Amino acid sequence: AWRWVFWLVVWVAVWLKVGTAAALVWQEQMSSMMAMAIHGSFVIGFSPTVFAHSLPAIGVFLVVWAMVSGVGRGWLWPRIDSRVKARRGTLIALAVMRVVEWAALIGVWVFALVKTWVVMVQGPSARGEYPSYVPGFAIVLFVTLGLFMLWCVTSWVFRLAAVLAGAKGLGVVGSLRAAWGSGAVRGKLIEINLVMGIVKVALVVLAMVFLACPLPFSAVETQAFLTCWWCGVGLLWVVASDYFHVVRAAAYVTLWRAYDFSLETAAPGVEAAS
């Protein structure tokens, strides 16, 4: 619910600010890209000036999202396990760190995308040569998969730290140290994060397939039907995506509970070894 409320407020604010203008610009860009595709060329509409002007708004959005995320998870953890208390200040700080890492990886991805476009497509086109589309797409694919794997094998520490902060009453530094020192369950945590990431990718692919289902029949369909269909698919994707967010949170709490119980019942030598 807190995710839905946040995104609803964001979309309403964006629409009230630039809704009509953004729709017109989008239509113009799509028409231009379709015309260039017909002539055998392609353009990525990336404007450094527009991106630079958008940075303050992006920064505010990320900070607000981190705050809302911390408060929302403070409501979520105690519902999964009553032993995990809501330490919202620590959760907000950990959410800010996770968002900073995510934004940095997105920045690296955008830089790689633009650099690949300049080297593989724009440069050869300027020299009158045929653009290297296939190697360019391969580079972007490998960079995307590499950054995805890096996110999955590193972001788990912030999620586990949030659980440990509420369960053991730790601060930001203490919870991060405790999470990083959980060597016995680190592999399982990375596995959970990786599987949930793959599930999110699968949901995106399924959503794209369902979005494209009515297109072969677009000649006999109305725009109102297509709009309702696309909105329905989008709503189903949101529900499924948020459900798996809660599944991941529950998996982390359950894994911590099992690991913590095993330490309590283990012999002192076994506990030290763990």
Side-chain angles (χ1 to χ4, degrees):
W2 61 265
R3 283 176 174 271
W4 290 19
V5 170
F6 174 80
W7 283 107
L8 181 61
V9 172
V10 169
W11 282 115
V12 170
V14 170
W15 180 257
L16 292 178
K17 183 68 176 177
V18 293
T20 306
L24 294 176
V25 171
W26 173 259
Q27 291 178 359
E28 294 175 0
Q29 290 292 326
M30 290 300 295
S31 300
S32 176
M33 290 174 65
M34 288 296 294
M36 291 186 176
I38 292 174
H39 290 86
S41 60
F42 185 72
V43 155
I44 295 179
F46 178 79
S47 173
T49 304
V50 174
F51 182 73
H53 285 297
S54 303
L55 280 179
I58 295 174
V60 172
F61 167 79
L62 293 178
V63 172
V64 174
W65 166 253
M67 296 175 63
V68 174
S69 174
V71 174
R73 286 181 171 85
W75 289 333
L76 177 62
W77 297 124
R79 291 179 176 269
I80 298 176
D81 191 326
S82 58
R83 295 186 297 170
V84 181
K85 306 301 180 182
R87 294 178 59 87
R88 292 187 174 85
T90 302
L91 291 179
I92 290 174
L94 292 172
V96 170
M97 294 179 183
R98 190 175 66 252
V99 166
V100 168
E101 182 190 1
W102 179 82
L105 292 178
I106 293 295
V108 173
W109 183 81
V110 171
F111 174 80
L113 182 66
V114 175
K115 193 68 175 179
T116 303
W117 163 258
V118 172
V119 174
M120 294 293 181
V121 178
Q122 196 174 54
S125 298
R127 296 190 299 268
E129 303 172 359
Y130 186 77
S132 303
Y133 289 115
V134 175
F137 277 113
I139 292 173
V140 172
L141 178 62
F142 279 112
V143 170
T144 303
L145 292 177
L147 293 176
F148 171 75
M149 292 294 296
L150 180 61
W151 170 253
C152 289
V153 300
T154 57
S155 62
W156 64 268
V157 67
F158 300 112
R159 301 182 185 278
L160 180 62
V163 177
L164 296 177
K168 300 182 179 296
L170 301 175
V172 177
V173 178
S175 61
L176 287 173
R177 287 178 178 174
W180 189 255
S182 59
V185 294
R186 184 178 303 176
K188 291 294 183 182
L189 294 168
I190 296 176
E191 181 182 349
I192 292 172
N193 222 25
L194 184 60
V195 170
M196 289 296 103
I198 294 174
V199 167
K200 293 296 291 291
V201 174
L203 289 176
V204 172
V205 174
L206 286 175
M208 293 172 63
V209 171
F210 281 115
L211 288 173
C213 282
L215 294 182
F217 312 100
S218 57
V220 295
E221 293 168 349
T222 63
Q223 184 60 44
F225 171 79
L226 292 176
T227 301
C228 293
W229 177 272
W230 292 334
C231 289
V233 173
L235 183 60
L236 288 176
W237 180 84
V238 168
V239 172
S241 176
D242 287 349
Y243 169 75
F244 282 108
H245 274 294
V246 178
V247 168
R248 175 163 49 189
Y252 270 62
V253 173
T254 303
L255 184 61
W256 161 78
R257 185 166 49 197
Y259 174 68
D260 194 54
F261 177 77
S262 67
L263 290 185
E264 292 176 356
T265 58
V270 177
E271 181 176 351
S274 300

